[in-house]
Amino acid sequence: MIRPHQPPTATIGVFDSGVGGLTVLRALRRALPFAPLHYVADTAFAPYGERPSEFIQQRSLAIAEHLWNSGAKLLVVACNTATAHAVTTLRQRWPDRPIVGIEPGIKPAVAASRNKRIGVLATPATLASARYQALLSEHAPDVQVFSQPCPGLAGLIETGQLASPALIELVERCCAPLRQSLVDTVLMGCTHYPLIQALLQEKLGSGVLLLNVEDAVARQALRFWAASDDTKSAFLRLEATGELSGLQALAPAALASAPLTLDKVSI
Ligand code: DGL
């Protein structure tokens, strides 16, 4: 499954703190079946969700630079936390290059909710950001939003052990307050969380609509990507700055189709 391959020159550069971006890669592969993808998982510095803003900005700038220098023509920030804290900085640094970010889908959640009570599961850093507060003011002025930070959850998912007792217990602790708040719609506001979607659904209850926006992000990327940039074969170059084991455990299942390479990189 994991075999060497020479990278093409033009790619879509994608990054996250770790395995979470696999959920975005999966959506990108659905929307752009032939686009060459270059992914960086910043596992040496994951998780981002409990890091200061300046740290997330520095890592995002360094990784973006690496991706541009390696041939990326479009950058997809496959991390809600990095988008919340660094997408403005990235766009200021590279004003002429296309950059797509991912943010909690407050607007679709508000549209989907019948009782106008929605829950948001995300990292502490995402929920504390000014961008998140702005999203709430813009799209949810008349809706009750229950923002539930999940410290530690992305880190446990990062281990690749998605059914460990510690993970199940933490998911229960994060979901219980949302059940008590009687929300009918819950947003997965971190790209790691769709990797445990079935467990989240079980803990929230089958009546709760669970939403994520990875497909919408991929559709946005599609608008920037010229089909003429595609090579003939779908290709996926994965790199990690630290631990590879989470990607090794989860990437083949998350990305069933394309040939992929996996290497360690220093950024
Ligand atoms: N997957 C990321 C997000 O969407 C980051 C999780 C983390 O590193 O804490 O927020």
Side-chain angles (χ1 to χ4, degrees):
M1 182 78 199
I2 293 177
R3 57 180 187 258
H5 194 294
Q6 272 304 103
T9 48
T11 61
I12 300 178
V14 186
F15 78 92
D16 175 49
S17 61
V19 297
L22 291 174
T23 61
V24 177
L25 288 177
R26 192 161 57 188
L28 283 168
R29 186 49 80 221
R30 274 196 294 268
L32 293 148
F34 298 110
L37 304 174
H38 179 183
Y39 181 70
V40 172
D42 198 13
T43 54
F45 299 96
Y48 284 174
E50 287 129 76
R51 300 275 199 180
S53 204
E54 302 69 41
F55 181 90
I56 299 166
Q57 284 166 23
Q58 273 169 22
R59 291 307 302 154
S60 300
L61 283 165
I63 293 167
E65 182 126 47
H66 168 75
L67 288 167
W68 296 129
N69 290 344
S70 307
K73 288 194 170 177
L74 162 65
L75 182 70
V76 177
V77 183
C79 174
N80 291 262
T81 310
T83 302
H85 289 275
V87 80
T88 305
T89 308
L90 292 171
R91 289 185 175 133
Q92 280 164 354
R93 172 78 180 75
W94 291 286
D96 301 324
R97 300 198 185 185
I99 299 174
V100 172
I102 185 164
E103 297 190 291
I106 300 292
K107 196 176 170 190
V110 168
S113 172
R114 294 172 309 274
N115 70 1
K116 299 303 166 206
R117 299 168 78 83
I118 67 174
V120 181
L121 296 163
T123 67
T126 294
L127 297 179
S129 69
R131 276 187 84 93
Y132 178 70
Q133 292 310 319
L135 274 179
L136 293 185
S137 317
E138 189 179 349
H139 299 299
D142 307 319
V143 172
Q144 277 196 279
V145 179
F146 299 87
S147 302
Q148 176 63 48
C150 307
L153 185 53
L156 282 178
I157 295 171
E158 207 49 49
T159 65
Q161 287 166 24
L162 304 185
S164 71
L167 183 98
I168 293 169
E169 204 225 316
L170 180 55
V171 170
E172 167 57 22
R173 262 191 282 138
C174 294
C175 290
L178 296 182
R179 278 200 312 269
Q180 280 147 22
S181 305
L182 302 176
V183 296
D184 70 355
T185 305
V186 171
L187 267 175
M188 290 180 276
C190 169
T191 55
H192 280 66
Y193 302 167
L195 293 168
I196 54 159
Q197 180 158 357
L199 179 60
L200 287 168
Q201 188 74 66
E202 183 194 317
K203 296 294 184 187
L204 290 166
S206 57
V208 169
L209 179 67
L210 198 49
L211 292 180
N212 61 310
V213 296
E214 278 73 357
D215 283 316
V217 168
R219 283 195 298 277
Q220 212 187 329
L222 180 58
R223 286 198 280 276
F224 286 109
W225 185 251
S228 59
D229 290 331
D230 286 359
T231 55
K232 291 289 166 257
S233 60
F235 171 77
L236 177 55
R237 174 182 178 190
L238 298 178
E239 290 177 330
T241 56
E243 199 50 63
L244 298 175
S245 56
L247 284 174
Q248 268 158 345
L250 301 177
L255 309 160
S257 52
L260 58 88
T261 63
L262 175 57
D263 298 293
K264 197 152 174 174
V265 66
S266 234
I267 300 174

